[in-house]
Amino acid sequence: MCRLAFWSMSLQCWDDALVSALVGWPPWLEASVQHSSQFWMANMYSKGTKRKFFDSVDAAMDNKAALYSRQRQSLLDMSLIKLQLCHMLVEPNMCRSVLIANTVRHIREEMTHDGSWQLVTEAFGGSGPSDHLVATEVLCRSSALEQQGGGPKLYSVMGYDGCREEEVVTDEALCSVTFSDGAPSLLGTIDHCWDRAELRMAAVENRVIKDSGSEVESGEGAKTVMGQVFGTFEIKNVAPGSDLALEELFSAVDASYYDLDTMLTSIQSTPKMGPYNLLDSMASSHGPTSNSSCRTDLSELDHIMEIIVGS
Amino acid sequence: MGEDTESSKGNHSFLRDYVTEADVISTVEFNHTGDLLATGDKGGRVVVFQRETVVGHKPKGELDQVGETGESGEYNVYSTFQSHEPDFDYLKSLEIEEKINKIRWLPQQNAAHFLLSTNDKTIKLWKVSERDKQPEGYNLKDEEGRVKDISTVTSLQVPVLRPTDLMVEVRPRRVFSNGHTYHVNSISVNSDGETYLSADDLRINMWHLGITDRSFNIVDIKPANMEELTEVITAAEFHPHHCHLFVYSSSKGSLRLCDMRASALCDRHTKLFEEPEDPGSRSFFSEIVSSVSDVKFSHNGRYLLTRDYLTAKVWDLHMEKGPVETYQVHDYLRTKLCSLYENDCIFDKFECVWNSSDSVIMTGAYNSFFRMFDRETGRGVTLEAWRETSKPRAVLRTRRIYTGGKRRRGDVGVDSLDFTKKILHMAWHPEENIIAIASTNNLYIFQDRVSPDTQGPDLGSDTI
C-alpha cells in the first residue's frame, strides 16, 4: 500500500529537524538549506513590531518561498538518487530515466535563475552537483552521523511496477543513514539485484578490467553521467563467436556495473559501513577494487542469501 | 490464469512475489474477428482464448428481443505456448526480459491464425493452426511411428486421413532478431498485410513479414551525443487504412504523423500534434504527466486516441494544434504527483482503446478501476475489475472516487486507493461490446448482454 500522505509528513518533519539535521550534511546541501533558513529567519525578524500585519504577510511569503525552495531541493535529491539507481530496477526503463533527467535539468535551470544554484556550485568548487556522481555526494555521510542511530529509512527503488517495498527518504534520511541495524533491510531491499550482481561478478572475474573508473570522476559534466546512464539501456546484439577487437569489446562495458559490484562486495565485507559511504569510496577508487576478493565475496553472498531465505 | 497476488507479507514475500511475477499479464489483444483473444505475460507465455460458438447464437446485426439476454459465447483456453525465453546479454551481463510487451494478430488469410509477439528485443511470428485429421495406414511405419519389419509387410495400402481429436498446434514461423538496440515497446501490422513496424525507445523499423534478416529503419531520434537525449518514443502505430501513414508518440507529449512516401527516413514528420502547455499549471511534473503512454488510431482512421498520466485525449488528424476532446481519467491525483513520483507510479504506462464504432473510449486507472467515456455525451463512468466484487454474470456497478462534497456509500477515498492494483492493459472486441481487462495476473472479460452491438455501460461479467 503506497503512502500518499508521506510527502506532507516529510515536510513537517523537515521543519522540526531542520536545525538538528544540519550537522553532518554535505557542505553544499547544508549551505543551501542554511541559506533558505537564514533567508527566512532574516526576513522574519528584520521588520519592526509595529507593522505586524505586513510582517506576518511578508513572513508568510518568505516562509512559502523557503518551503518551496526546500521542496525543490528535496525533489532534486530524490531525482538524482533515482537516476543513479536506475539500473537496479527490475525492468530497465529508458523513458523513466529520460523524464527524471529532464526534471533534474528543469530544477537546475530554475535554481540557476533564482541564484540558489550558486551556493551549490560554490560548494563544488565551480561545477554543479550533477557534474559529479551526485548521488555519492548527496548520500555520503560522515561517520559521526551514523552513530546517531535513529530510524531513518533507506531510499531504494525496488520494482518499477510495484509500490511495495519502496522506502522513501525522509528528511532525516537525507541527512543520515545507519547501516548497522539496517543490514538485513539493505540486503532485503536489493534482493532482486543479487542474481544480477552475482552474474556480473562472475563475468567480471574472467576479464581484464580497463581503468574506466576515472571517467566518472573527471567532472566532465552532467553530460558524461547522463550519457552513461542512457548507455546502460542498450541491448548488444552480438552473436557469440563473432570477431571483435578486444578494445571494442571492453569499450562497450559500462563502468557503473562494476561500481555496483564493488558496492555489493564491499557491503559484504564491511557490514558496518553505510551503503552510500561505499558509493563515495567507490567513486574515489578508480574502477573496481579487487577481483580476487570477488570469489570469497560470492560465497559470503551465498551465505547471506541462505540466511535470509532460511529465516 | 494464475493465482491472485494477494499474499501475506512474510519472510519469503520477495521470493513469492518473484514466483507469481511471471503470471502478470503484460498485453491483451483480440484478433480481427474477435473470436480469438491472446494474452502475453511476464514469463514469456502466450495464452490464446477462443470464443465458443453457441448453438442459437444470434448473428451480428440482429436485435435482441426485450428480456432475452442473448447467448454470447464464452472465452475458453484454446492454446498456450512459450513465446519467449529469458535471454542473456553476455556483453553487458544483463538479462533480457522475456516479458511479452505486445501481441498483434495478422488479418486471417487461410485456416491458420498468425500473430506477432515481441519482448524487449525479438519479434516472433507464430502460426496457430488446428489439426483434426491424421493420416493412418502407412506401409513402412506402424501406428506409433516405428519402422515396420519389412518381412511383415505383405500388401500395399494407401494411407487415409482419419478424424482425430482436435489439436491446436503453434509453431514459430519467423524470428525477427537483432533489429533493435533499445527496448521494443510497440509493434503494428500494416494494412497492406505484408509489412509491420516495430518501435523501440529511439528507433522505428519496418519489416517484411517474410524477411527476417533485415529491416528498414524509418525513424531514428537518437542524438549524436547521448547526453543530449531528452525525448524517447513511447508508442507507434500504422494507420488502419493508409499503408503509408503511421504515428508515433513521444515522452514529451507530442504525436508525429509520418508519411513514408515523403522520404525513406521519416525523421521529419508530416504532421506534429502538440498541445501547448498551460503556463498556469506548470510544475516540475508537467512534462512527466504529459508523456504519452499509448496511441491508437480510431477504426475509421480519422482520429487518434492518446493516454498520458492524467488524461485521455482524442485528436482529429486534420487538426494539429490540440486535441478535440480531453477526458480526465483521475484528476484527483493531480495534487499527489510528488508522492506518485516518489513511488514511481507516475511512470506507469496505461493503455487506451476505442470501441468498435469509435463512440466510446476506455482506459485503465488504479485500484482495479477502469474508465469508459462516451464521446457523444462526454460522460465518464468508473468500473472495477476485482474478483471480490464481480461475480460471474453479475452486472458491473459503477464506482465513485470521493473528492469532496456529499459522500455516498461505496465511494472510495483518494487516500485509500491501492496503487499496486493498476489496470494497464485492455482490449475491446472489434465488433461487439466485449472487453478484456488485465489486472495483474487476472483476466476479466465483460460482455454487454443488453446491447451487444451498440455502446452502453450495462455490462455483465465473466471472470477468468
Side-chain angles (χ1 to χ4, degrees), chain A residues 1-7 10 68 72 75 78-79 82 89-96 98-100 102-103 105-107 110 155 157 159-166 168-169 191-192 195-196 199-200 203 207 222-224 226-227 230-238 244 249 252-254 257 305 308-311, chain B residues 9 11-15 17-18 21 24 42 88-97 99 120-121 177-184 201-202 222 225-234 251-252 282-285 287-288 291 333 336 338-345 347-349 414-420 422 424:
Chain A
M1 195 70 177
C2 295
R3 292 160 287 178
L4 278 181
F6 184 80
W7 180 244
S10 70
Y68 176 79
R72 186 176 61 186
L75 187 63
M78 199 199 312
S79 305
K82 279 180 182 287
L89 287 180
V90 174
E91 288 177 39
N93 189 342
M94 186 186 238
C95 182
R96 177 182 172 273
V98 168
L99 290 171
I100 296 171
N102 290 349
T103 307
R105 280 194 198 101
H106 180 194
I107 296 173
E110 198 179 280
Y155 186 90
V157 179
Y160 165 70
D161 57 351
C163 304
R164 2 156 232 181
E165 287 115 19
E166 266 240 16
V168 188
V169 179
D191 53 13
H192 284 281
D195 293 339
R196 295 184 185 201
L199 286 165
R200 275 194 218 116
R207 288 190 208 161
K223 313 199 163 181
T224 313
M226 302 295 198
F230 298 144
T232 66
F233 291 104
E234 287 186 33
I235 299 170
K236 292 292 175 201
N237 294 312
V238 178
L244 279 177
L249 194 70
V253 166
D254 187 86
Y257 288 123
M305 267 305 281
I308 294 172
V309 174
S311 61
Chain B
K9 294 277 181 198
N11 286 331
H12 302 290
S13 61
F14 71 90
L15 274 180
D17 282 346
Y18 181 79
E21 187 81 357
V24 173
K42 281 194 174 178
F88 193 73
D89 179 344
Y90 294 93
L91 210 53
K92 296 212 121 204
S93 294
L94 273 182
E95 286 167 32
I96 295 170
E97 283 227 330
K99 177 179 78 121
D120 283 339
K121 182 181 163 185
S177 53
N178 294 336
H180 289 278
T181 309
Y182 301 95
H183 297 276
V184 176
D201 293 314
L202 297 178
K222 183 178 177 183
N225 211 347
M226 276 300 268
E227 302 117 25
E228 288 157 11
L229 179 65
T230 57
E231 193 173 11
V232 298
I233 296 170
T234 51
S251 57
K252 286 202 169 168
R282 185 157 167 72
S283 76
F284 290 120
F285 305 110
E287 189 188 317
I288 300 177
S291 171
L333 296 183
K336 316 279 182 196
C338 201
S339 305
L340 295 164
Y341 179 73
E342 247 171 354
N343 60 31
D344 270 4
C345 283
F347 302 108
D348 286 336
K349 297 197 171 134
V414 178
D415 289 331
S416 54
L417 290 175
D418 188 347
F419 288 83
T420 59
K422 45 193 104 179
L424 301 171

Side-chain angles (χ1 to χ4, degrees), chain A residues 12-290:
Chain A
Q12 202 177 355
C13 293
W14 190 302
D15 284 334
D16 298 336
L18 192 60
V19 173
S20 60
L22 284 177
V23 176
W25 284 24
W28 69 268
L29 193 62
E30 181 180 346
S32 76
V33 172
Q34 272 191 329
H35 168 78
S36 45
S37 67
Q38 279 165 9
F39 180 70
W40 177 77
M41 290 176 74
N43 281 280
M44 180 69 174
Y45 295 112
S46 63
K47 312 269 193 311
T49 52
K50 283 186 185 173
R51 295 171 294 149
K52 272 191 185 168
F53 176 72
F54 295 106
D55 282 354
S56 62
V57 166
D58 283 341
M61 288 189 63
D62 293 340
N63 204 1
K64 229 174 152 185
L67 187 69
Y68 176 79
S69 182
R70 275 180 258 148
Q71 279 177 331
R72 186 176 61 186
Q73 189 64 59
S74 196
L75 187 63
L76 177 65
D77 295 341
M78 199 199 312
S79 305
L80 292 169
I81 296 167
K82 279 180 182 287
L83 215 53
Q84 197 61 28
L85 298 177
C86 67
H87 53 266
M88 286 177 74
L89 287 180
V90 174
E91 288 177 39
N93 189 342
M94 186 186 238
C95 182
R96 177 182 172 273
S97 294
V98 168
L99 290 171
I100 296 171
N102 290 349
T103 307
V104 168
R105 280 194 198 101
H106 180 194
I107 296 173
R108 185 162 88 157
E109 273 168 28
E110 198 179 280
M111 286 174 84
T112 308
H113 277 132
D114 66 18
S116 39
W117 195 255
Q118 295 281 337
L119 284 158
V120 168
T121 54
E122 273 157 26
F124 275 109
S127 51
S130 57
D131 292 352
H132 297 244
L133 246 189
V134 193
T136 66
E137 303 291 348
V138 172
L139 305 167
C140 170
R141 300 289 172 253
S142 67
S143 53
L145 205 60
E146 279 164 23
Q147 281 143 29
Q148 274 184 12
K153 293 186 183 238
L154 219 57
Y155 186 90
S156 65
V157 179
M158 265 308 296
Y160 165 70
D161 57 351
C163 304
R164 2 156 232 181
E165 287 115 19
E166 266 240 16
E167 293 178 292
V168 188
V169 179
T170 62
D171 58 303
E172 287 134 11
L174 276 178
C175 325
S176 67
V177 167
T178 51
F179 190 71
S180 45
D181 45 80
S185 69
L186 170 70
L187 295 173
T189 54
I190 51 176
D191 53 13
H192 284 281
C193 302
W194 279 133
D195 293 339
R196 295 184 185 201
E198 283 188 52
L199 286 165
R200 275 194 218 116
M201 278 192 259
V204 158
E205 275 175 61
N206 301 324
R207 288 190 208 161
V208 175
I209 312 300
K210 251 173 115 175
D211 184 12
S212 46
S214 55
E215 209 180 335
V216 163
E217 276 284 12
S218 63
E220 273 172 60
K223 313 199 163 181
T224 313
V225 177
M226 302 295 198
Q228 275 195 342
V229 167
F230 298 144
T232 66
F233 291 104
E234 287 186 33
I235 299 170
K236 292 292 175 201
N237 294 312
V238 178
S242 63
D243 220 358
L244 279 177
L246 214 56
E247 277 80 19
E248 225 182 276
L249 194 70
F250 294 137
S251 65
V253 166
D254 187 86
S256 61
Y257 288 123
Y258 300 135
D259 297 337
L260 181 62
D261 295 341
T262 312
M263 181 180 95
L264 291 172
T265 54
S266 302
I267 288 167
Q268 264 299 283
S269 49
T270 56
K272 286 291 178 193
M273 286 175 74
Y276 302 120
N277 280 341
L278 294 171
L279 279 174
D280 179 49
S281 60
M282 154 204 71
S284 57
S285 70
H286 295 268
T289 46
S290 54

